[in-house]
Amino acid sequence: MRSLLLLASAAALIAVPAAAMQHDAHANHKAHDAITAAVAAPTRTATNTPRDTYRHPAETLAFFGVEPSDTVVELWPGGGWYTEILAPLAKSGGGTLYVAAPWERGLNRIKEKQTADAATYGAVKLAEFPGTGAGSKVPDGSADVVLTFRNVHNWRFGGTDKAADAFKQIFAMLKPGGTLGVVEHRLNESDDSAKEEKSGYMKKSSIVAFAEAAGFKLAGESEINANPKDTKDYPKGVWTLPPNLTEGDTDRAKYVAIGESDRMTLKFVKPAS
């Protein structure tokens, strides 16, 4: 009898982790399906979808662990390339999406989307970032995930203090254990750091330093958005490459063949305690 009890106890100990693993696998599968559906959303702009080949949105969001039920903050959404994916993703799972940018000109393109398609974008919340008091901010400790795509260089253009303050404000937005996902044009570590001030490229070490100074821990990195063809030595910076092509017709075929920039994909976490 004692042997049977020991065997039963051992089986129970094995079954609990197995059940937990099955639950996690099921949750991951559901999140994957939701992200795939959001990337395929018919509401996306037709000129945006061809850029998926460079930006790998499904793989990027999966790497950052975004789930449809999350409260997600997208910083400086610009024309809304990622918003077109994140809004239907949040809607599908009952999540919340904030878009946060300089108040309020940085949000005008998103407002246009809300007016044109309230069914898709009407629930998107608008917030000011960096916060100055001009508009409402993302409540402290409310976000599961904060995402920024190719924006850290813009904060750096305002000086190192502005960049440092941006990371501190992001840290405040997140719940303990929350994730910061960063995609940014990557400057070679051997290059002169002064290039960060005008080229649009940033060193990984610089971003990690800003994040760690704010309290974040680097939790992972991916080469999903890497592009080894990018030589990063253009007089007009990263904007020489698609989609901007600032050189116009000069060497256009060359730059189109290179494609969009070499990008680092960094995942940071706010410590749980």
Side-chain angles (χ1 to χ4, degrees):
M1 178 63 71
R2 187 167 181 270
S3 297
L4 288 174
L5 288 172
L6 288 171
L7 285 171
S9 298
L13 288 171
I14 294 170
V16 171
M21 289 174 64
Q22 282 186 329
H23 179 271
D24 289 345
H26 179 66
N28 289 339
H29 185 71
K30 284 184 66 176
H32 174 270
D33 288 350
I35 290 171
T36 300
V39 170
T43 50
R44 293 186 67 198
T45 304
T47 53
N48 281 346
T49 53
R51 288 153 73 182
D52 290 1
T53 188
Y54 302 114
R55 300 188 173 185
H56 311 98
E59 297 89 342
T60 299
L61 294 177
F63 174 71
F64 290 144
V66 179
E67 297 187 4
S69 59
D70 283 343
T71 293
V72 176
V73 181
E74 182 190 3
L75 301 177
W76 289 31
W81 195 93
Y82 255 101
T83 312
E84 291 186 354
I85 298 169
L86 294 170
L89 179 62
K91 184 178 179 181
S92 72
T96 299
L97 174 62
Y98 285 88
V99 291
W103 197 266
E104 56 188 75
R105 68 177 169 79
L107 298 166
N108 286 342
R109 297 285 295 279
I110 305 304
K111 290 180 181 179
E112 291 171 5
K113 288 184 179 294
Q114 290 182 314
T115 300
D117 185 359
T120 302
Y121 303 105
V124 175
K125 298 186 176 184
L126 308 181
E128 183 189 29
F129 177 82
T132 67
S136 60
K137 70 172 190 175
V138 177
D140 288 351
S142 65
D144 296 292
V145 183
V146 175
L147 301 171
T148 183
F149 303 100
R150 307 171 311 282
N151 284 316
V152 179
H153 64 276
N154 289 312
W155 309 337
R156 177 66 181 81
F157 290 167
T160 55
D161 289 347
K162 291 286 182 67
D165 184 60
F167 277 89
K168 289 177 184 176
Q169 291 191 32
I170 296 167
F171 190 84
M173 292 177 191
L174 282 161
K175 299 174 182 177
T179 296
L180 165 61
V182 176
V183 177
E184 182 56 277
H185 312 294
R186 174 165 45 195
L187 184 65
N188 299 327
E189 289 293 325
S190 59
D191 285 348
D192 186 349
S193 295
K195 289 184 178 180
E196 294 182 339
E197 298 176 6
K198 58 182 180 180
S199 71
Y201 292 94
M202 293 285 299
K203 291 185 179 183
K204 172 191 165 184
S205 59
S206 296
I207 293 179
V208 171
F210 283 126
E212 290 183 343
F216 287 104
K217 301 296 183 185
L218 181 63
E221 55 189 296
S222 172
E223 291 298 296
I224 296 167
N225 297 301
N227 181 1
K229 295 179 182 179
D230 181 7
T231 57
K232 313 172 190 181
D233 57 356
Y234 323 109
K236 294 185 180 179
V238 72
W239 306 279
T240 304
L241 299 177
N244 298 89
L245 294 168
T246 53
E247 293 284 8
D249 290 332
T250 302
D251 291 327
R252 185 183 185 90
K254 169 187 171 181
Y255 298 129
V256 169
I258 292 172
E260 295 194 13
S261 68
D262 176 44
R263 293 161 185 167
M264 60 188 124
T265 304
L266 306 176
K267 180 178 180 179
F268 297 93
V269 296
K270 178 176 180 174
S273 59

